[in-house]
Amino acid sequence: MAIPIKIFDVTSKYERNMLDQFNRFQEYVESDIARMRRLHESNRLNPPEIMEFENPWWKFWRRTERIELEPTPLSETQFQALLANRRHIQKLQFACEGATEADMPFLPFLREYGYRKMVTEWNDQHFFMYRPVVEWNGATVELSHLIIGPSHLYLVEWLDGDRSIYHISKQKTWIHQPLKGENKRVVNPLIALTRTEEIIRQFLPSYDGVIQKVTVAPEGYFDHVPETRSTQFISRSDYESWLKQVNTRAPIVKAQQIRDVAKLLDATAQMPFRQFLDQ
């Protein structure tokens, strides 16, 4: 599960000190896993089962009797699923300072296709910014998704059509041809990627890694892919192999990666989480 560090312009804990907060998160996760493991082994994660019995009518002073039964223990698979859900919430609380578990149902981006892909399929050696908002030339600009790995910085636009065909062109819109139904127009994702690359190269002028623009359609296909291109087009046919390659080249978090993330965070806009919810 990749680590979200910035959601739109919401204030992030990582903006205080990237390295310090990253270390704090790692320590917190380790201690929480150990605590949850102890509770799991002592069968204290599930509430006890309560059974109620109706006594005979003449026992009017105690008509209902309650018996507390030993809870059913979680299987190891259920326990790992519980941990994964806790990790997701805890990661989000660092990316959105002030967020609580009770806020989760009110955050629509959690159900957005690109967010779910990034948070679940990219490994923990990647940090991602979900459509970060930056200060640029006196204005605020929303960028494409940023995924920062040890050696690659990916600028990503996601297309979620199921077995759809996207007809690439230089126009402001592309034709989106779904498996069923009529064709429709979608905004050309290369426009946002080009703008994002221009801004990122200004923020990281001496970046040593690879800045890669990527348009990803994990369940769809591309037509009219240009022979010479600066953008990768990842479709249904090559998504799994490409993602495996991406995760393989990111075995550890590097110090320079942390420093690059900190520079990007310094350029982002900040809005208190409660104010973000009230918009």
Side-chain angles (χ1 to χ4, degrees), residues 135-273:
E135 305 285 352
W136 179 249
N137 289 338
T140 55
V141 181
E142 184 179 294
L143 305 181
S144 300
H145 306 293
L146 306 182
I147 303 180
I148 306 98
S151 59
H152 287 61
L153 197 167
Y154 303 92
L155 320 179
V156 186
E157 287 290 330
W158 295 89
L159 300 172
D160 61 359
D162 184 9
R163 286 171 289 179
S164 297
I165 299 175
Y166 294 92
H167 298 269
I168 299 172
S169 75
K170 295 181 180 180
Q171 304 300 316
K172 291 184 178 180
T173 58
W174 288 358
I175 296 176
H176 170 206
Q177 181 181 343
L179 180 64
K180 297 180 180 179
E182 297 182 357
N183 292 355
K184 48 189 175 183
R185 290 276 181 177
V186 295
V187 176
N188 182 345
L190 302 184
I191 297 174
L193 289 173
T194 300
R195 178 178 65 243
T196 300
E197 181 184 26
E198 176 187 353
I199 293 174
I200 293 302
R201 289 192 183 278
Q202 293 294 321
F203 292 151
L204 300 175
S206 57
Y207 182 68
D208 290 334
V210 177
I211 297 179
Q212 181 65 66
K213 294 181 291 183
V214 193
T215 301
V216 193
E219 302 298 334
Y221 302 92
F222 295 103
D223 191 20
H224 306 128
V225 177
E227 292 184 6
T228 57
R229 55 187 183 275
S230 59
T231 301
Q232 280 188 295
F233 296 91
I234 307 300
S235 66
R236 181 188 178 105
S237 58
D238 47 23
Y239 177 72
E240 293 298 330
S241 60
W242 174 76
L243 184 65
K244 182 178 179 180
Q245 182 185 55
V246 163
N247 283 328
T248 300
R249 68 164 65 109
I252 59 172
V253 173
K254 294 185 177 180
Q256 185 58 49
Q257 179 185 2
I258 296 285
R259 289 192 285 270
D260 291 334
V261 170
K263 289 180 182 178
L264 292 174
L265 285 172
D266 286 342
T268 58
Q270 298 183 29
M271 175 183 290
F273 178 72

Side-chain angles (χ1 to χ4, degrees), residues 2-3 9 40 75 79 190 213 221 265:
I3 301 177
D9 52 358
H40 175 54
S75 67
F79 177 64
L190 302 184
K213 294 181 291 183
Y221 302 92
L265 285 172

